[in-house]
Amino acid sequence: MSKTIYMKAQKLLLVILLFVAINSYSQNNFSYSPEKPNAGDLITITYTPSGLIAQGTSPLEAVAYNFSGEKGQKANELQLKKTKDGYMAMVKTDTSDNLIYFKFSADGKIDDNKNNGYWIQLNKNGQLKKGADYDLSLFYQMFGRSVGLQPDNEKAMQYLDKEYAAHPETKEKTMVSYLSLYSQVHKDLAPALIQKEIEAAMKAGLKDEDDFDKVRSMYAMSKLTQQAKFIDSLKKEKFPKGKWTVGDYIQKYFKEKDLTVKTSMLDNIISKAGKDPDWKQIQPSLPYFKTLIVNEYVAKKDWQGLDNAVRKYDIKSADLASLYNNTAWGMQEKDEDLQKAEELSGKATVWAKNELKKPTQPKPDYMTAKDWEKSRERTYGMYADSYAMINYKLGYYKKALPYAEDAAIKIAEGKNADENNTYAMVASKVLSPKKFIPQLEKFVKEGVATQSVKDILKKEYLKNHNEASYENYMAALEKSSYIKMIEDLKNQMLSEKATPFMLVDLKGEKVNLADWKNKVVVLDFWATWCGPCKASFPAMQKMVAKYKDDPEVKFLFIDTWEQGDQKEKAASDFITANKYDFHVLMDNESKVVEQFKVSGIPTKFVIGKDGNINFKSVGFGGSNDQLVSELTAMIDMAKGK
């Protein structure tokens, strides 16, 4: 066999193997017609509920996301028709679409098809469209989150390889993103491949800025920072007025402290963004750049300067409402300038309330009409809660009540602990105990009550009862929420092998996960820049103190995705300043966070004595009491109690 024939045979075998592996991702309860739909076709789909929603009691909801990597996703609610075995719907496609993926949900749960999702790749003239496999790779990397999937880089890599096998020219255009994904899937093989691509690029010659940027990125990916800096300096030397000057100017703008100079720089940025093609790409970021100037006036409490800047830079609608709400909330947290805070918060709240019925902005393509309505409701609820709290602090209790009710009861349906807290404080000042106590008791029963809510209940209870019976009263209220929480946790319980790792702590000592074999280990992934991470730490400090003398439980706080050159110092300074008793490990190269497939922080894992991940918790809901209660229950269940 000749070398040429052999290579063609090998390539064909690779394509066949990829096809077999990829098509093993079952969609048995999902089918469509025509069998090979072209972009632009009207497609008929059939679906039989499975997974978490098979026994759902609420009506099934379905959304189709028409997707093109260049245009992004466009959401369309599907009109489902009941059939003998399941449901049927018609899906419209556009000639620009490469992929359609679906969200089937009921009772607030999504059928993720065992993290495979449901999707249809589109064709052109009977052949799979160029970009269809590439976009499916993006689906498994990031866009699948919108339909309940966790990122799966292995699947993403397979579809990317399939795209490149059919369209090799695409690989050259997307080399950096390809190598980034390759590094996550094939960590041991990646360094050699990256070096090979660097050598190939250097041999071909660096002709334009993009060539230099590609090589710099590959050096940075290989942790060769000096080489990356050298390539960057060569680029700047060869292209002294190149596109890189835009980024440098923006960085200088961020760092500038003098308000007069900073204002002049912003005016220059706005002018260039409207005229210079090299600056056009920053236009979507202009609203943020403008807030940096406005925030300077807020910091100085120069309200006339604030008004002038708002008018000068034409900040309006959603951007202005967000600015006013955030400013007002920060002021009330410090109990400063509450009258001004009330004025700003009031403007934001009025705008958000008007947007509910008569939105002035078009619906984003990536949202369904229902999602968009909920988004506007959440915005109003957040702003109304701010307005209610500010008026509470000013003593305007009756004025605050309807906004607190809107936020906590009507919109959040009593499920947001922070907004419940505002409602409880306001209602206890305005309503009779007969009216507000049942609602506060309901918060406790459903596990969404802060300590402040419980304190208000205690105060009212002791007016007619003695201290001795209060504990029984509160225990009875909390019993139902505890039972519900345990049932929910049982449904969430996992049994996945935890990936072994070794990291260095802030003392420079090596720490292995295996060091705590036969113990329950709680991992908390965080960073100093992460607001929700830091907001959860008072509760985590309570947990550390609670289990301080328990030899069966260990807490490890993994600092990851940290920014800046002095990561250890940033982490150490933060922990020391806040007097947290945390054992902090540094994941400076983001290896462990990738191993655990963390897509956002804070994320916590509870690892059982058998070395399996029992629970995964993403984010922070805002209630310290709820976090302590849930995490305690998770640890008890991981212990086998």
Side-chain angles (χ1 to χ4, degrees):
M1 181 183 292
S2 71
K3 183 178 179 180
T4 301
I5 295 175
Y6 174 78
M7 290 178 67
K8 288 182 177 180
Q10 287 290 92
K11 184 176 180 180
L12 178 61
L13 177 61
L14 172 63
V15 173
I16 293 173
L17 289 174
L18 283 171
F19 179 81
V20 172
I22 288 170
N23 283 278
S24 66
Y25 305 148
S26 174
Q27 300 186 113
N28 293 330
N29 58 319
F30 175 78
S31 61
Y32 51 89
S33 177
E35 185 177 347
K36 294 181 67 175
N38 287 312
D41 283 353
L42 182 65
I43 303 173
T44 302
I45 66 163
T46 59
Y47 169 75
T48 303
S50 68
L52 294 173
I53 67 174
Q55 306 301 321
T57 56
S58 298
L60 177 70
E61 296 182 2
V63 179
Y65 293 88
N66 296 45
F67 185 74
S68 165
E70 294 182 1
K71 294 184 177 180
Q73 60 184 13
K74 185 174 183 179
N76 296 287
E77 294 176 84
L78 298 181
Q79 299 299 315
L80 295 171
K81 181 179 180 181
K82 192 76 173 70
T83 64
K84 180 180 179 182
D85 299 319
Y87 295 87
M88 181 183 74
M90 307 299 290
V91 182
K92 295 180 180 180
T93 68
D94 187 82
T95 53
S96 64
D97 297 335
N98 290 337
L99 176 73
I100 311 292
Y101 52 89
F102 299 86
K103 178 181 179 181
F104 298 107
S105 61
D107 296 321
K109 299 174 181 177
I110 301 173
D111 178 5
D112 66 357
N113 190 25
K114 298 179 179 179
N115 211 51
N116 292 312
Y118 296 97
W119 42 262
I120 303 172
Q121 289 180 291
L122 299 176
N123 299 269
K124 184 176 182 179
N125 300 324
Q127 298 295 318
L128 190 66
K129 282 190 71 179
K130 180 179 180 180
D133 282 321
Y134 185 88
D135 287 353
L136 193 50
S137 175
L138 294 178
F139 170 76
Y140 280 118
Q141 288 181 68
M142 62 187 84
F143 289 99
R145 292 193 186 103
S146 62
V147 293
L149 270 65
Q150 292 296 317
D152 190 326
N153 290 330
E154 286 76 14
K155 287 193 186 82
M157 193 81 232
Q158 290 180 17
Y159 282 105
L160 203 54
D161 284 336
K162 187 168 177 278
E163 177 75 27
Y164 292 158
H167 306 285
E169 69 280 6
T170 304
K171 186 174 184 178
E172 184 60 30
K173 296 177 182 178
T174 58
M175 179 57 68
V176 172
S177 58
Y178 172 78
L179 291 174
S180 177
L181 181 60
Y182 190 91
S183 297
Q184 296 177 58
V185 177
H186 306 293
K187 290 181 174 63
D188 296 335
L189 301 176
L193 178 60
I194 294 173
Q195 184 58 39
K196 179 182 176 182
E197 293 299 335
I198 290 174
E199 292 172 0
M202 298 295 282
K203 185 177 181 180
L206 307 184
K207 304 176 183 64
D208 54 32
E209 281 190 77
D210 291 340
D211 291 338
F212 280 90
D213 286 338
K214 183 169 71 174
V215 173
R216 178 188 54 77
S217 296
M218 289 191 287
Y219 272 131
M221 210 178 295
S222 301
K223 311 298 181 185
L224 299 172
T225 55
Q226 292 303 316
Q227 290 89 328
K229 288 180 180 178
F230 177 69
I231 292 295
D232 216 30
S233 65
L234 287 180
K235 177 187 70 175
K236 293 179 179 180
E237 184 179 320
K238 187 170 183 178
F239 304 99
K241 296 183 179 180
K243 291 182 290 185
W244 64 268
T245 58
V246 177
D248 271 28
Y249 193 86
I250 297 300
Q251 289 302 314
K252 290 177 182 177
Y253 171 70
F254 289 158
K255 296 176 182 178
E256 181 57 54
K257 300 298 183 183
D258 186 285
L259 182 55
T260 302
V261 176
K262 199 178 188 77
T263 300
S264 177
M265 292 181 74
L266 176 59
D267 293 343
N268 190 35
I269 290 170
I270 294 172
S271 175
K272 286 183 176 293
K275 300 175 182 178
D276 192 325
D278 288 344
W279 286 72
K280 189 176 182 180
Q281 61 182 335
I282 70 163
Q283 284 183 342
S285 301
L286 289 179
Y288 170 68
F289 295 163
K290 294 174 182 178
T291 62
L292 297 181
I293 294 291
V294 174
N295 287 336
E296 293 285 344
Y297 290 105
V298 172
K300 295 180 178 182
K301 299 181 183 179
D302 181 353
W303 308 124
Q304 186 58 55
L306 169 65
D307 291 341
N308 292 340
V310 165
R311 285 193 295 272
K312 175 181 178 180
Y313 295 118
D314 195 28
I315 302 174
K316 54 188 177 183
S317 300
D319 293 329
L320 183 59
S322 177
L323 169 68
Y324 282 164
N325 177 72
N326 293 341
T327 300
W329 183 256
M331 292 159 71
Q332 76 80 25
E333 284 186 313
K334 299 176 183 178
D335 289 322
E336 296 177 351
D337 298 288
L338 290 179
Q339 289 290 352
K340 187 65 180 181
E342 191 272 343
E343 176 192 333
L344 297 177
S345 177
K347 291 178 180 179
T349 305
V350 168
W351 175 87
K353 191 170 186 177
N354 289 337
E355 287 294 301
L356 286 179
K357 294 183 178 180
K358 295 182 179 180
T360 58
Q361 298 176 315
K363 179 184 76 66
D365 282 345
Y366 59 85
M367 285 186 179
T368 64
K370 186 175 182 179
D371 289 339
W372 188 42
E373 182 177 3
K374 287 182 178 179
S375 175
R376 301 198 315 275
E377 284 181 346
R378 284 193 296 268
T379 298
Y380 169 62
M382 179 172 61
Y383 293 0
D385 177 69
S386 298
Y387 194 51
M389 178 58 78
I390 293 167
N391 278 284
Y392 171 83
K393 288 190 172 183
L394 286 167
Y396 305 153
Y397 306 129
K398 290 184 178 180
K399 184 177 180 180
L401 183 61
Y403 295 98
E405 288 178 334
D406 281 352
I409 310 302
K410 294 180 182 179
I411 294 176
E413 299 178 339
K415 296 176 183 178
N416 185 296
D418 284 339
E419 292 174 358
N420 292 346
N421 185 74
T422 304
Y423 171 81
M425 294 171 68
V426 173
S428 66
K429 296 290 187 180
V430 179
L431 303 178
S432 67
K434 288 184 179 180
K435 288 187 176 181
F436 74 79
I437 285 179
Q439 182 63 67
L440 271 56
E441 288 178 336
K442 185 178 179 182
F443 292 158
V444 178
K445 290 178 181 178
E446 295 181 353
V448 282
T450 64
Q451 187 58 48
S452 178
V453 172
K454 295 176 184 177
D455 289 344
I456 292 171
L457 280 174
K458 182 176 182 179
K459 180 181 178 181
E460 293 298 326
Y461 183 87
L462 294 180
K463 288 179 179 179
N464 301 303
H465 306 82
N466 58 44
E467 181 86 32
S469 64
Y470 170 74
E471 295 299 327
N472 292 332
Y473 163 71
M474 186 54 62
L477 291 178
E478 292 178 331
K479 183 178 180 180
S480 60
S481 70
Y482 183 79
I483 292 173
K484 181 179 183 299
M485 178 181 67
I486 294 298
E487 288 302 314
D488 289 342
L489 290 177
K490 285 180 180 178
N491 293 329
Q492 297 170 22
M493 202 164 186
L494 307 171
S495 184
E496 302 173 359
K497 196 68 180 176
T499 307
F501 65 81
M502 187 280 290
L503 290 172
V504 176
D505 64 17
L506 292 177
K507 295 179 181 178
E509 297 175 357
K510 294 181 179 179
V511 177
N512 282 284
L513 180 61
D515 294 342
W516 286 279
K517 188 178 181 181
N518 299 322
K519 299 181 187 296
V520 174
V521 181
V522 180
L523 306 181
D524 191 347
F525 288 87
W526 71 288
T528 59
W529 52 261
C530 171
C533 301
K534 293 184 288 187
S536 72
F537 277 179
M540 292 306 295
Q541 180 60 53
K542 290 182 180 179
M543 292 299 297
V544 170
K546 181 176 183 177
Y547 289 92
K548 183 178 181 180
D549 298 320
D550 189 334
E552 294 185 323
V553 180
K554 177 65 180 177
F555 289 83
L556 297 174
F557 293 80
I558 302 179
D559 184 304
T560 190
W561 296 336
E562 192 61 72
Q563 299 171 352
D565 296 328
Q566 296 181 304
K567 298 179 180 180
E568 284 81 0
K569 185 177 186 304
S572 180
D573 288 351
F574 175 79
I575 295 298
T576 301
N578 290 279
K579 299 180 181 179
Y580 290 135
D581 186 20
F582 295 169
H583 191 177
V584 176
L585 312 183
M586 299 304 299
D587 185 27
N588 288 340
E589 296 183 356
S590 303
K591 289 184 178 180
V592 178
V593 76
E594 291 174 5
Q595 290 172 0
F596 278 78
K597 298 181 179 179
V598 173
S599 57
I601 55 177
T603 292
K604 298 171 180 61
F605 293 89
V606 178
I607 301 173
K609 295 181 179 181
D610 58 358
N612 286 334
I613 296 171
N614 290 162
F615 296 101
K616 177 181 179 180
S617 176
V618 182
F620 175 56
S623 170
N624 289 333
D625 292 342
Q626 188 173 5
L627 176 55
V628 169
S629 180
E630 286 185 354
L631 197 50
T632 298
M634 290 177 182
I635 291 171
D636 286 345
M637 294 171 74
K639 281 183 173 182
K641 289 185 177 181

